[in-house]
Amino acid sequence: MVWLNAGSSLKYPAVFLPGERKIHLTGEAYFEVESDVENPFIVETDHLQVRATGTAFNVEAYSIDSIVSVTMVKGEINVLVESSPELLMIPGERFKYNLYTMKGGVEKTDPYKWYAWIDGRMVFRDDPLEYVFKRIGQTFNIDVSVKDTSIAKHLYRATFEEESLDEILRLLQM
C-alpha cells in the first residue's frame, strides 16, 4: 500500500520484472510492503534507492529540496545513496542526506512525526519555523516564507489536525 503526499508522483511499470518490484518516486510517500524476499520492493528517487522485502517506511524526496530522507516504521530496509555503501535501517531510525554537501546520517526519531500526514496531521516537535512553513506550504500547495530571518530558527512544537490554513497561521502567530 502506498500513500502519496501533496505534490508527489509515482511511476511504475504495467508489469514488474522478475526478481524485483521497482517504482520511481518524486515527492513523499509512505509505504507498507508485503514480504517477498525473492522479489524485493525497490523505491528509486533521483538520489537514493530503498530496497525492502516486508516493512513500512516513509520517503521524502521532493525535487526542489536539498534534503532527502527515509524514516523506518517497522521491519528493515537497505538504503543506497549515490556512491555511498548500502545502509541497513531498523524501526525508529531516520536517514537524512544533504544533496549539497553529499553527507548523510542516521538519527533516532519518533517515526510517527514523519508520516502523521497520512492521518491528516502535521506534527512538529522542536522544529524551526522555516521547516514548519515548508511543510505547511507543501500541505496547502502554497508558498510560505519567513520574511524576518531572526525568527526563522525559532523552534515550534504543535500538532495540527483538520485546522484551516488561516487557523494554523493564527495559532503560529500566537
Side-chain angles (χ1 to χ4, degrees):
M1 294 180 58
V2 179
W3 287 258
L4 285 179
N5 205 346
S8 302
S9 65
L10 198 61
K11 294 179 185 174
Y12 56 92
V15 177
F16 289 118
L17 296 173
E20 68 181 20
R21 299 171 286 165
K22 188 184 287 189
I23 59 137
H24 186 84
L25 170 69
T26 301
E28 182 174 13
Y30 176 77
F31 299 89
E32 289 181 357
V33 179
E34 281 290 320
S35 182
D36 186 347
V37 176
E38 304 218 354
N39 297 291
F41 186 76
I42 300 168
V43 178
E44 286 188 337
T45 72
D46 289 342
H47 302 284
L48 64 78
Q49 183 184 86
V50 177
R51 181 179 295 269
T53 56
T55 186
F57 58 97
N58 193 74
V59 178
E60 294 174 66
Y62 286 97
S63 58
I64 60 169
D65 284 348
S66 61
I67 303 288
V68 293
S69 66
V70 178
T71 304
M72 272 302 303
V73 177
K74 59 185 170 186
E76 62 181 45
I77 59 174
N78 291 304
V79 177
L80 182 61
V81 179
E82 296 175 345
S83 62
S84 300
E86 197 168 72
L87 170 69
L88 175 68
M89 292 183 64
I90 59 173
E93 292 183 337
R94 182 167 190 260
F95 172 72
K96 276 191 337 186
Y97 184 76
N98 186 313
L99 301 173
Y100 294 139
T101 64
M102 299 181 77
K103 293 184 181 174
V106 175
E107 61 190 16
K108 291 287 186 190
T109 189
D110 171 9
Y112 186 70
K113 171 186 173 178
W114 303 102
Y115 74 92
W117 60 269
I118 72 172
D119 295 327
R121 293 185 180 112
M122 286 186 286
V123 177
F124 302 106
R125 297 294 179 261
D126 299 322
D127 291 307
L129 183 61
E130 61 190 355
Y131 174 76
V132 172
F133 279 173
K134 176 184 141 192
R135 290 303 281 194
I136 290 169
Q138 288 172 334
T139 301
F140 289 95
N141 196 26
I142 60 170
D143 289 326
V144 183
S145 60
V146 181
K147 296 282 187 201
D148 183 353
T149 57
S150 68
I151 64 169
K153 301 292 183 204
H154 283 214
L155 302 180
Y156 282 81
R157 182 176 184 87
T159 300
F160 299 112
E161 180 178 2
E162 298 183 17
E163 284 89 354
S164 68
L165 176 60
D166 288 340
E167 183 68 8
I168 290 171
L169 294 175
R170 188 185 67 73
L171 290 168
L172 287 172
Q173 182 181 20
M174 291 173 34

